[in-house]
mmCIF file of all heavy atoms in Angstrom:
data_model
loop_
_atom_site.group_PDB
_atom_site.id
_atom_site.type_symbol
_atom_site.label_atom_id
_atom_site.label_comp_id
_atom_site.label_asym_id
_atom_site.label_seq_id
_atom_site.Cartn_x
_atom_site.Cartn_y
_atom_site.Cartn_z
ATOM 1 N N GLY A 65 0.920 4.072 -2.840
ATOM 2 C CA GLY A 65 0.632 5.483 -2.529
ATOM 3 C C GLY A 65 1.723 6.398 -3.061
ATOM 4 O O GLY A 65 1.477 7.485 -3.570
ATOM 5 N N ALA A 70 3.774 10.328 -6.981
ATOM 6 C CA ALA A 70 4.747 10.685 -8.014
ATOM 7 C C ALA A 70 4.053 11.048 -9.308
ATOM 8 O O ALA A 70 4.437 12.002 -9.977
ATOM 9 C CB ALA A 70 5.710 9.511 -8.230
ATOM 10 N N ALA A 79 6.333 25.591 -11.495
ATOM 11 C CA ALA A 79 5.888 26.922 -11.124
ATOM 12 C C ALA A 79 6.409 27.947 -12.123
ATOM 13 O O ALA A 79 7.545 27.865 -12.586
ATOM 14 C CB ALA A 79 6.386 27.269 -9.727
ATOM 15 N N VAL A 186 4.544 60.785 -43.736
ATOM 16 C CA VAL A 186 3.423 60.875 -44.681
ATOM 17 C C VAL A 186 3.809 61.834 -45.801
ATOM 18 O O VAL A 186 4.845 62.500 -45.758
ATOM 19 C CB VAL A 186 2.133 61.365 -43.978
ATOM 20 C CG1 VAL A 186 1.742 60.449 -42.850
ATOM 21 C CG2 VAL A 186 2.282 62.798 -43.493
ATOM 22 N N ALA A 223 13.971 71.588 -45.931
ATOM 23 C CA ALA A 223 13.973 70.126 -46.049
ATOM 24 C C ALA A 223 13.713 69.732 -47.502
ATOM 25 O O ALA A 223 12.796 70.237 -48.139
ATOM 26 C CB ALA A 223 12.899 69.527 -45.153
ATOM 27 N N ASP A 276 8.144 78.820 -33.860
ATOM 28 C CA ASP A 276 7.297 78.374 -34.977
ATOM 29 C C ASP A 276 6.897 76.889 -34.840
ATOM 30 O O ASP A 276 6.338 76.310 -35.766
ATOM 31 C CB ASP A 276 7.992 78.589 -36.313
ATOM 32 C CG ASP A 276 9.214 77.693 -36.517
ATOM 33 O OD1 ASP A 276 9.587 76.962 -35.567
ATOM 34 O OD2 ASP A 276 9.773 77.716 -37.622
ATOM 35 N N ASP A 282 22.102 70.194 -35.152
ATOM 36 C CA ASP A 282 23.269 69.726 -35.899
ATOM 37 C C ASP A 282 24.421 69.691 -34.897
ATOM 38 O O ASP A 282 24.917 70.737 -34.490
ATOM 39 C CB ASP A 282 23.583 70.677 -37.056
ATOM 40 C CG ASP A 282 24.765 70.246 -37.883
ATOM 41 O OD1 ASP A 282 25.253 69.120 -37.650
ATOM 42 O OD2 ASP A 282 25.202 71.005 -38.766
ATOM 43 N N GLY A 286 28.490 65.413 -39.748
ATOM 44 C CA GLY A 286 27.909 64.071 -39.840
ATOM 45 C C GLY A 286 26.406 64.138 -39.704
ATOM 46 O O GLY A 286 25.825 65.154 -39.322
ATOM 47 N N ALA A 291 15.281 59.566 -32.229
ATOM 48 C CA ALA A 291 14.593 58.273 -32.200
ATOM 49 C C ALA A 291 13.570 58.139 -31.093
ATOM 50 O O ALA A 291 12.663 57.324 -31.212
ATOM 51 C CB ALA A 291 15.629 57.147 -32.046
ATOM 52 N N GLY A 336 22.362 71.645 -22.137
ATOM 53 C CA GLY A 336 21.143 70.973 -22.586
ATOM 54 C C GLY A 336 21.393 69.763 -23.440
ATOM 55 O O GLY A 336 20.422 69.066 -23.805
ATOM 56 N N VAL A 340 27.387 60.729 -25.489
ATOM 57 C CA VAL A 340 28.201 59.713 -24.807
ATOM 58 C C VAL A 340 28.753 58.753 -25.837
ATOM 59 O O VAL A 340 28.012 58.164 -26.629
ATOM 60 C CB VAL A 340 27.392 58.939 -23.752
ATOM 61 C CG1 VAL A 340 28.261 57.868 -23.081
ATOM 62 C CG2 VAL A 340 26.810 59.893 -22.713
ATOM 63 N N THR A 461 12.898 31.100 -37.397
ATOM 64 C CA THR A 461 14.281 30.971 -37.888
ATOM 65 C C THR A 461 14.725 32.202 -38.681
ATOM 66 O O THR A 461 15.768 32.178 -39.328
ATOM 67 C CB THR A 461 14.429 29.731 -38.775
ATOM 68 O OG1 THR A 461 13.503 29.819 -39.880
ATOM 69 C CG2 THR A 461 14.151 28.463 -37.990
ATOM 70 N N LEU A 477 4.820 42.062 -18.765
ATOM 71 C CA LEU A 477 5.577 42.770 -19.800
ATOM 72 C C LEU A 477 5.038 42.399 -21.162
ATOM 73 O O LEU A 477 4.999 41.211 -21.509
ATOM 74 C CB LEU A 477 7.053 42.409 -19.674
ATOM 75 C CG LEU A 477 8.005 43.038 -20.684
ATOM 76 C CD1 LEU A 477 8.155 44.528 -20.424
ATOM 77 C CD2 LEU A 477 9.376 42.360 -20.623
ATOM 78 N N GLY A 481 7.087 43.048 -31.862
ATOM 79 C CA GLY A 481 8.193 43.084 -32.800
ATOM 80 C C GLY A 481 7.911 42.321 -34.052
ATOM 81 O O GLY A 481 6.797 42.375 -34.572
ATOM 82 N N ARG A 491 3.515 38.255 -24.405
ATOM 83 C CA ARG A 491 3.382 38.765 -23.031
ATOM 84 C C ARG A 491 4.105 37.839 -22.071
ATOM 85 O O ARG A 491 4.008 36.618 -22.152
ATOM 86 C CB ARG A 491 1.913 38.916 -22.638
ATOM 87 C CG ARG A 491 1.722 39.708 -21.352
ATOM 88 C CD ARG A 491 0.267 40.135 -21.136
ATOM 89 N NE ARG A 491 -0.599 38.988 -20.890
ATOM 90 C CZ ARG A 491 -1.915 39.027 -21.076
ATOM 91 N NH1 ARG A 491 -2.501 40.128 -21.517
ATOM 92 N NH2 ARG A 491 -2.664 37.966 -20.821
#
Side-chain angles (χ1 to χ4, degrees):
V186 302
D276 68 354
D282 182 8
V340 179
T461 58
L477 179 70
R491 192 166 67 202

